[in-house]
Amino acid sequence: FIYYLDPHNPDSDGDDVLDGDELQVYGTDPHNSDSDGDGLKDGDEVQEHQTDPLLVDSDGDGLEDLDEVVVYASNPNSVDTDGDGVSDYEEVNLHPSDWSEEDSDGDGLSDYEEIFEYRTNPGSQDTDGDGLTDDQEILFYDTEPDNDDTDGDGLSDSEEVLLHGSEADNVDTDGDGVSDYDELHHGTAQHNSDTDGDGLSDYDEIY
């Protein structure tokens, strides 16, 4: 084979990889400092980033090596830099999450859980804006993190849980036939089906 290289220069293309290594070790082009055309010198890929100098996207995650190294500072050799089950590409392009954080919004739910299991916003601690964090709704109150009034009674989940102590997933906490919202309107107790203790339920007295 005739390579037409400079016999007086061990690194003909100036990419910090010896011509012999380019041909015999890496299979790169000794005439081209960036064999795969991804914007990173062959030498930088081999020695600094440990990426494949023949592939534009070494880890195959949909983000080019140059973007991972220079723009996002993600790992160009890992499809999922933070190991949360959501690929770097998805976190950068499809979801409001951080490729470097397993739980981007710090609400106690991993990005994977929010995106694929609960359909909540991985970039917001309180997806429905009701005053309860997503993890509180899912793990403690059994309410819907993407619905600010889970039981549809006219009171937000946070009003029921934090202000009135009623059940946010139950329209009628005391089961007397009067909704929690209507009990507030009438001044009756949400936890007592017979507020005045006269033997008649609140429902019978009101309706």
Side-chain angles (χ1 to χ4, degrees):
F1 294 98
I2 300 176
Y3 299 111
Y4 299 104
L5 299 171
D6 184 350
H8 303 290
N9 185 350
D11 179 13
S12 297
D13 56 10
D15 62 0
D16 299 321
V17 182
L18 297 177
D19 292 343
D21 287 341
E22 296 224 47
L23 291 169
Q24 299 170 9
V25 178
Y26 303 111
T28 49
D29 184 351
H31 299 94
N32 185 347
S33 61
D34 179 11
S35 295
D36 56 11
D38 64 357
L40 296 172
K41 286 196 313 181
D42 293 343
D44 290 339
E45 297 218 51
V46 170
Q47 298 163 13
E48 182 177 352
H49 308 300
Q50 289 77 53
T51 48
D52 189 330
L54 296 175
L55 292 176
V56 172
D57 177 12
S58 295
D59 56 13
D61 63 358
L63 299 176
E64 295 187 4
D65 292 343
L66 179 67
D67 289 335
E68 296 223 49
V69 170
V70 176
V71 179
Y72 306 116
S74 52
N75 185 346
N77 294 298
S78 175
V79 172
D80 179 13
T81 297
D82 57 12
D84 62 359
V86 186
S87 74
D88 293 343
Y89 178 88
E90 290 175 306
E91 299 218 51
V92 167
N93 294 292
L94 304 180
H95 307 292
S97 54
D98 186 338
W99 58 261
S100 67
E101 296 289 342
E102 184 178 346
D103 176 12
S104 296
D105 54 15
D107 63 358
L109 301 173
S110 73
D111 292 343
Y112 180 90
E113 290 175 316
E114 297 220 48
I115 293 169
F116 298 109
E117 293 182 20
Y118 304 119
R119 307 296 178 183
T120 48
N121 184 348
S124 172
Q125 291 189 346
D126 180 11
T127 297
D128 56 14
D130 63 358
L132 299 176
T133 62
D134 294 340
D135 67 315
Q136 288 176 324
E137 300 219 46
I138 291 169
L139 302 177
F140 299 104
Y141 300 119
D142 197 30
T143 49
E144 298 173 0
D146 59 351
N147 182 353
D148 63 359
D149 179 10
T150 298
D151 56 14
D153 64 358
L155 299 173
S156 73
D157 293 342
S158 63
E159 286 179 304
E160 298 217 52
V161 169
L162 302 178
L163 296 180
H164 309 300
S166 52
E167 298 173 2
D169 61 345
N170 186 350
V171 174
D172 179 12
T173 298
D174 57 13
D176 62 0
V178 184
S179 72
D180 293 339
Y181 180 88
D182 287 340
E183 299 238 35
L184 284 177
H185 176 72
H186 293 292
T188 51
Q190 295 174 322
H191 297 87
N192 187 344
S193 61
D194 180 9
T195 300
D196 55 13
D198 63 358
L200 296 174
S201 72
D202 293 340
Y203 178 88
D204 290 335
E205 298 211 53
I206 292 173
Y207 299 108

